[in-house]
Amino acid sequence: MKALVLWCRWHDATLRLHGRDDTAVWGELAFPQETERFHFDLQSWELKLGEGVDQRQIKLDEMGVEVDGEP
């Protein structure tokens, strides 16, 4: 979960957890101007933002930096 916490710091977001299991955490990210739902996979470090057709997926490294794909 460290990668998610660091990503939130880089993006000035407050993490609001709504749930957690062995594989993921989910809830809301509160930015200064908006709130957005998220789902974070604890094993692949993939962050999903939003819902439905507007959903975005971001792959993070161990420091919470967005990566484009596998090396």
Side-chain angles (χ1 to χ4, degrees):
M1 198 162 112
K2 177 182 172 185
L4 176 60
V5 171
L6 291 172
W7 185 90
C8 288
R9 287 184 185 172
W10 309 142
H11 291 88
D12 196 25
T14 301
L15 187 60
R16 297 179 182 164
L17 291 180
H18 291 193
R20 177 184 183 128
D21 62 22
D22 291 339
T23 62
V25 295
W26 55 91
E28 294 177 333
L29 296 173
F31 297 96
Q33 300 298 320
E34 66 178 322
T35 301
E36 189 167 25
R37 291 190 171 272
F38 80 91
H39 183 273
F40 182 68
D41 187 300
L42 295 169
Q43 294 162 346
S44 68
W45 293 343
E46 185 173 274
L47 175 61
K48 295 177 185 176
L49 299 171
E51 295 179 307
V53 295
D54 295 328
Q55 187 177 61
R56 298 177 290 141
Q57 294 185 6
I58 302 168
K59 177 84 171 165
L60 303 179
D61 70 7
E62 67 275 359
M63 293 302 295
V65 176
E66 297 174 18
V67 293
D68 290 330
E70 297 299 319

